[in-house]
Amino acid sequence: MNEPPRLPEGSFAAWSRDRLALARRGADECGDVWKLEPGVYVAARAGPCEAVLRRAQDFSLAASPLFPPLKRSSGATTPEERAHAHAARMRGLRPQAVAARIGEIAPSAAQFADQWPTGQDIEILPLVRHALAEIGVRYLFSEDAPALLPFASRLFLAREVLVRPSRWVWPHWVPTPARRFRTRQQVAFTNALQPIVRRRRSSGRLGDDVLGQMLRPSTRYGLLPEEAILDTLPGITIATFETPSRAAGWILLHLARHPQAADRVAAEAALLPADPAATTSTHLDSLQYTQALVREVLRLYPPSWLLTRRVTRQTRLADYTIGAGSTVLVCPYTAHRDAREHFDPDQFQPERWLDDSGSPANPGVFLSFGTGPHGCEGAALAMAMLTLLTAQTARHYHLSEPPGPEPSYQVTTLEGLATAGLRLRATLRS
């Protein structure tokens, strides 16, 4: 069998010590696809990464959901019901739906900028996460968001506990303390959400948010069971702010390190309405350089830098044979540094996403939100949130890293690419 090459001295032990460095070595020394361990392969370049993500029939999602359906006396929801719930949820997350609600997203982004303490070095990610949680939960649940936000915060804490490194990888059915804690928080969230679902249905005031879209009957599959709605929302609730928070850390760090780029973002943001609630999709579209900067940071530091897929049947990938049951690690981090796709790929150049007239361009593969049938359903919402947060921050402040030899953050890679402990200082623009 024609297998991909194995990286010399590559192993899980070396991988655990420095994942990013080993991923770069594998891409540089082995090319498109390389073998980490028997039965474990890394798709390192743009072409194979896109192929794996698009060919869901050959490369299936390997991980179980973070918040699996709860066990109930009425029985578990069926795969078909969960698929219908996903389709209903998507009605509220499509780009057109997000564009129609920009005026609801913009005020929280502006509030985050207004409340940033100035003149002191602060750990910024907790503030970012809170701001993005407010935006995400309000986008899903509108006026019911304040009642659900505390439960969403505890869901996030349960996620953090669940993904902490452990010496042991327990089977999914073992009720570890972390999993029991996760279940308790999931039950608490759904118990808080259930009366909201019933009130909306009984009153007929379903709402125009994502929950309202899920409560509307479809001509294709009718009315969703209550359980299918409750089961599908914990995961997407966390997703609206967890991954964007990691991305925002990298974006704010780049505003601090590239003041000329930050000045250009600030100049665009100065044209936004004084009242953030008056912001529309037209205003968002006018932030072309800001969006280019966000995309460039996401290219260099994709928050979900490694995606796992399971090979369902023996197949071919980049001229290699991959056996059934193998694991393929898709690496957007190295795919985005493929010189065949991006000129000078290690350099921060937001302009690469603009053509000569300053309009949006598409210079190469972009996998920060995945692609194919399992691409990120909240991509449009995430881009809107991050663009407005970036614009409002640069509009108000110059950012800088703390002086001194100590780094202002630590790179973490276990559950995503993040700037743990990031500290920055904000100074008001004159």
Side-chain angles (χ1 to χ4, degrees), residues 169-250:
V169 179
W170 297 99
H172 67 86
W173 47 266
V174 174
T176 63
R179 288 168 183 169
R180 292 199 299 271
F181 180 68
R182 182 266 313 275
T183 300
R184 289 197 299 272
Q185 302 312 316
Q186 188 176 351
V187 168
F189 179 84
T190 54
N191 284 347
L193 180 57
Q194 187 178 57
I196 294 172
V197 170
R198 293 178 177 178
R199 169 175 52 78
R200 290 196 189 191
R201 276 186 164 167
S202 63
S203 69
R205 295 191 294 273
L206 303 181
D208 294 325
D209 50 19
V210 172
L211 177 58
Q213 294 294 336
M214 298 184 72
L215 294 174
R216 285 176 169 76
S218 165
T219 55
R220 183 177 178 185
Y221 48 79
L223 198 65
L224 278 173
E226 180 181 281
E227 292 79 5
I229 295 172
L230 297 177
D231 280 341
T232 194
L233 284 169
I236 190 63
T237 299
I238 296 303
T240 59
F241 64 90
E242 189 270 332
T243 303
S245 295
R246 293 201 302 266
W250 290 108

Side-chain angles (χ1 to χ4, degrees), residues 126-139:
L127 297 180
V128 168
R129 190 178 302 115
H130 180 74
L132 293 179
E134 285 193 338
I135 295 173
V137 175
R138 182 168 292 279
Y139 188 85

Side-chain angles (χ1 to χ4, degrees), residues 41-43 49 52-53 305-309 328-332 367:
Y41 306 93
V42 180
C49 286
V52 172
L53 296 178
W305 75 280
L306 202 66
L307 308 170
T308 304
R309 294 294 187 267
V328 175
L329 304 176
V330 177
C331 190
L367 301 174

Side-chain angles (χ1 to χ4, degrees), residues 326-409:
S326 300
T327 296
V328 175
L329 304 176
V330 177
C331 190
Y333 179 81
T334 53
H336 288 166
R337 286 167 165 74
D338 187 342
R340 294 169 295 185
E341 293 286 339
H342 300 283
F343 175 75
D344 212 358
D346 288 316
Q347 297 302 308
F348 173 69
Q349 296 177 357
E351 295 80 9
R352 75 173 75 241
W353 297 99
L354 303 171
D355 63 21
D356 292 339
S357 66
S359 298
N362 184 18
V365 69
F366 183 74
L367 301 174
S368 292
F369 298 111
T371 191
H374 298 295
C376 175
E377 60 190 275
L381 176 61
M383 277 299 297
M385 294 164 68
L386 292 172
T387 300
L388 290 169
L389 191 82
T390 302
Q392 292 291 358
T393 301
R395 182 183 194 177
H396 285 76
Y397 306 115
H398 297 283
L399 301 184
S400 60
E401 292 182 85
E406 295 297 320
S408 61
Y409 65 97

